[in-house]
C-alpha cells in the first residue's frame, strides 16, 4: 500500500485530499499542527467509513516537529511514496507593497516557502526509497508572474505583497528541485487547486474542495511518463491545465 503525507490536512482542501486518497486505497498521514485536532478529524472520518488515515503532528515551521513526524513514518512505513505540501497561510489583509510589515511577510514565507523546503528536505531520503516518489507543492494562480502582468487576467487586481510572492518563490524552488531530480523516478510539480471556497478565503471562491482535491490528485498520481517541473492550475480552462509561470 502506497503511503502519502499531506501537510495542513485537518480541514478544507487538505482534508478532502486525505479522504479521496483513502478511497483509492492509500495509507494516508493527515498532517496537523495540533495532534488533538487531527485525531478528532480522523475519528470523524473513521465514523464515516474512511480507513487507512492516521493523524500525525507536523508544524512545517518547527524543525523538531518535522523530524518527529519523519521518524514516525520511517518506523511505520520505511519509506514515503507521496508528499503533498499543502500547509499554507494567507497572512494579514491588506498586503500592500508600500506598507506591509516585514514581520508579516516573513511569517507568510516561513510557512508557504521555507516550511515546504524544510519538510521536503527532511523526507527526501524516505521518498527516494519509493519506486514512484511524488512531490506536489500546492501553489496558487496568484503565484504566476505572467498572469499578474496581464491586465486582462480575471484576478489581475488581486495583488498582495506576502501571499502571492511566497507562492512565486515556491514555484521557483519547485523548478530547481524537479531539475535536480529529473534523472530519477521523482515527479515534482506545483499544483494550483484554483479559487476554491474554503475557510482560507471565507468561502468566497467559486470552486469546491472536491474539485480542488481531485485536480491535485490527478496531477499527483501520475505514471512513470508523467510530467515533472510543471505548473498546473484548476483555473486554466484548456485541457492541459498548464499555467504560465
Amino acid at each position: 500500500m502506497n503511503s502519502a503525507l499531506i501537510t495542513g490536512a485537518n480541514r478544507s482542501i487538505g482534508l478532502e485530499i486525505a479522504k479521496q486518497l483513502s478511497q483509492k486505497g492509500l495509507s494516508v498521514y493527515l498532517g496537523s499542527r495540533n495532534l488533538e485536532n487531527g485525531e478528532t478529524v480522523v475519528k470523524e472520518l473513521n465514523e464515516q467509513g474512511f480507513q487507512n488515515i492516521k493523524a500525525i503532528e507536523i508544524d512545517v515551521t518547527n524543525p523538531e516537529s518535522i523530524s518527529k513526524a519523519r521518524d514516525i513514518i520511517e518506523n511505520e512505513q520505511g519509506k514515503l511514496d507521496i508528499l503533498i505540501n499543502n500547509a499554507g497561510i494567507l497572512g494579514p489583509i491588506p498586503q500592500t507593497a508600500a506598507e506591509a510589515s516585514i514581520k508579516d511577510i516573513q511569517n507568510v514565507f516561513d510557512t508557504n516557502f521555507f516550511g515546504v523546503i524544510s519538510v521536503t528536505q527532511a523526507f527526501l531520503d524516505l521518498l527516494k526509497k519509493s519506486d514512484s516518489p511524488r512531490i506536489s507543492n500546492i501553489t496558487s494562480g496568484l503565484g504566476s508572474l505572467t498572469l499578474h502582468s496581464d491586465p486582462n487576467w480575471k484576478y489581475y487586481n488581486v495583488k498582495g505583497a506576502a501571499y502571492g510572492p511566497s507562492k512565486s518563490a515556491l514555484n521557483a524552488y519547485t523548478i530547481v528541485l524537479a531539475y535536480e531530480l529529473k534523472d530519477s523516478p521523482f515527479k515534482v510539480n506545483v499544483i494550483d487547486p484554483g479559487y476554491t471556497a474554503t475557510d482560507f478565503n471565507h468561502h468566497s471562491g467559486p470552486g469546491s474542495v472536491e474539485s480542488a482535491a481531485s485536480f491535485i490528485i490527478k496531477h499527483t498520481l501520475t505514471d512513470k511518463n508523467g510530467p515533472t517541473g510543471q505548473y498546473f492550475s484548476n483555473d486554466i480552462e484548456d485541457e492541459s491545465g498548464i499555467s504560465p509561470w
Side-chain angles (χ1 to χ4, degrees):
M1 181 181 295
N2 285 347
S3 57
L5 167 63
I6 311 158
T7 64
N10 61 300
R11 62 177 181 170
S12 301
I13 296 174
L15 174 56
E16 183 62 27
I17 295 171
K19 291 163 67 175
Q20 291 189 22
L21 287 179
S22 170
Q23 290 175 324
K24 291 180 179 295
L26 278 77
S27 176
V28 180
Y29 287 92
L30 185 150
S32 175
R33 282 185 300 176
N34 181 285
L35 183 58
E36 184 177 350
N37 290 346
E39 289 178 337
T40 298
V41 170
V42 169
K43 181 180 179 182
E44 293 172 354
L45 292 175
N46 290 159
E47 292 171 352
Q48 295 168 20
F50 291 95
Q51 302 296 321
N52 308 320
I53 302 178
K54 177 177 179 175
I56 189 167
E57 183 174 352
I58 182 167
D59 179 345
V60 304
T61 66
N62 185 320
E64 183 179 356
S65 172
I66 296 170
S67 180
K68 286 182 178 179
R70 183 213 167 279
D71 290 345
I72 290 171
I73 293 177
E74 181 180 33
N75 290 335
E76 294 183 355
Q77 302 287 339
K79 65 180 176 67
L80 180 65
D81 298 290
I82 297 167
L83 172 61
I84 300 179
N85 286 306
N86 172 72
I89 62 173
L90 180 60
I93 298 295
Q95 297 176 358
T96 64
E99 297 181 352
S101 75
I102 292 295
K103 182 178 180 181
D104 287 340
I105 295 174
Q106 287 176 331
N107 285 341
V108 172
F109 268 74
D110 281 344
T111 296
N112 297 1
F113 181 58
F114 295 113
V116 171
I117 297 173
S118 296
V119 172
T120 300
Q121 291 182 346
F123 282 91
L124 205 54
D125 64 329
L126 295 185
L127 287 159
K128 287 179 178 178
K129 295 179 181 180
S130 171
D131 293 332
S132 54
R134 300 290 182 266
I135 300 175
S136 292
N137 294 331
I138 307 309
T139 187
S140 167
L142 298 177
S144 170
L145 300 182
T146 299
L147 293 178
H148 263 307
S149 301
D150 180 3
N152 295 314
W153 184 42
K154 58 184 175 181
Y155 300 125
Y156 177 73
N157 293 321
V158 184
K159 296 284 194 285
Y163 180 75
S166 75
K167 294 299 187 179
S168 299
L170 175 61
N171 291 355
Y173 170 76
T174 304
I175 290 174
V176 177
L177 181 63
Y179 174 79
E180 291 181 5
L181 297 171
K182 64 183 175 61
D183 296 323
S184 73
F186 274 86
K187 304 298 179 185
V188 184
N189 295 291
V190 281
I191 308 174
D192 165 31
Y195 190 13
T196 306
T198 66
D199 296 341
F200 196 81
N201 54 39
H202 305 290
H203 295 268
S204 61
S208 68
V209 292
E210 291 82 5
S211 172
S214 177
F215 186 81
I216 291 168
I217 291 171
K218 172 186 175 181
H219 292 290
T220 299
L221 301 183
T222 54
D223 61 27
K224 64 180 181 179
N225 298 314
T228 191
Q230 192 53 266
Y231 181 4
F232 296 102
S233 173
N234 206 14
D235 279 336
I236 297 298
E237 296 178 357
D238 64 51
E239 289 185 6
S240 73
I242 295 174
S243 173
W245 296 99

